Amino acid sequence: MNKMKLILDSENEWGFFVDPKTFDIFTIDNDIPDSSLVIVKEKEYIEDIDRTVIQTSYGIVDKNKFITKNKKEISKLMSEACSKFILARDTLPPKVKVEKELQEDKPAQLAFMLSNYDIFHLKISSTMLDGLNPFERIQDIIGNETQKLTLYDREDKWKIEYAKSSRATCKSCGLKIEKGTVRIGEPYYFDQYLNYRWHHEKCIFWSRLEIKQLENLEQLEKEDKKRIESYF
Ligand SMILES: [Zn+2]
């Protein structure tokens, strides 16, 4: 089998690759086999916001070459790999769950959780399943049990507060979060320190959060608090 070497700057870069046949995840330290799906993380200091952020890039290995893909493209490749896995093994790949309730005559929406911070949204169409109906096929596999995924299921609390400045950009839509507006902080660890990725109120999938995961809600103005509570 063809393999390539991907040299990472060990200080600031690290990564994973996924075997599309098994969905096994490996840390990049040396060779990456052909057809692997590759995720590379890079620490980068952004002067504008005075923060170190982690950038992610994606690609595949094809004939010893690394070919860059965007997240949408890599998610499509994962969807195809996931479909083949389902056809071959009659079960969902590891770390793949149903993300949205299955609907008849619609593609199935699954999620592959590589880690808490790397979630890929997969769309399984009937074409990918050799003409089989994804609703029936996947319903068969998961049975009656609703195996819906809680995407935001980490233990640390999400922080809700008024933006102290207009410097932060929303990690969902990329636009500025205006000073004084409600912003929601998604917890993550960086160098063992708890940090937050900020989002606009309108950019949060509220249905995937539970109210008990929110910290600081009591500190909001009555009206804002009421509005946020109405999402649950
Ligand atoms: Zn936003």
Side-chain angles (χ1 to χ4, degrees), residues 8 14-33 36-39 112 114:
L8 299 177
W14 67 100
F16 312 93
F17 64 91
V18 178
D19 179 338
K21 286 204 178 75
T22 60
F23 272 70
D24 287 332
I25 300 164
F26 303 90
T27 306
I28 299 173
D29 56 5
N30 220 324
D31 297 332
I32 306 176
S36 297
L37 306 160
V38 184
I39 296 101
F112 172 50
L114 179 89

Side-chain angles (χ1 to χ4, degrees), residues 170 172-175 199-200 202-203:
C170 170
S172 301
C173 72
L175 300 176
H199 302 264
H200 289 116
K202 66 172 169 60
C203 293

Side-chain angles (χ1 to χ4, degrees), residues 8 18 30 34 50 99 108 119 144 157 162:
L8 299 177
V18 178
N30 220 324
D34 241 11
D50 186 28
E99 183 174 26
I119 297 163
N144 292 324
K157 300 263 192 193
Y162 297 110

Side-chain angles (χ1 to χ4, degrees), residues 186-199:
E186 175 187 2
Y188 74 99
Y189 277 92
F190 188 74
D191 279 351
Q192 298 173 352
Y193 292 104
L194 179 61
N195 239 307
Y196 296 94
R197 289 190 180 91
W198 298 102
H199 302 264

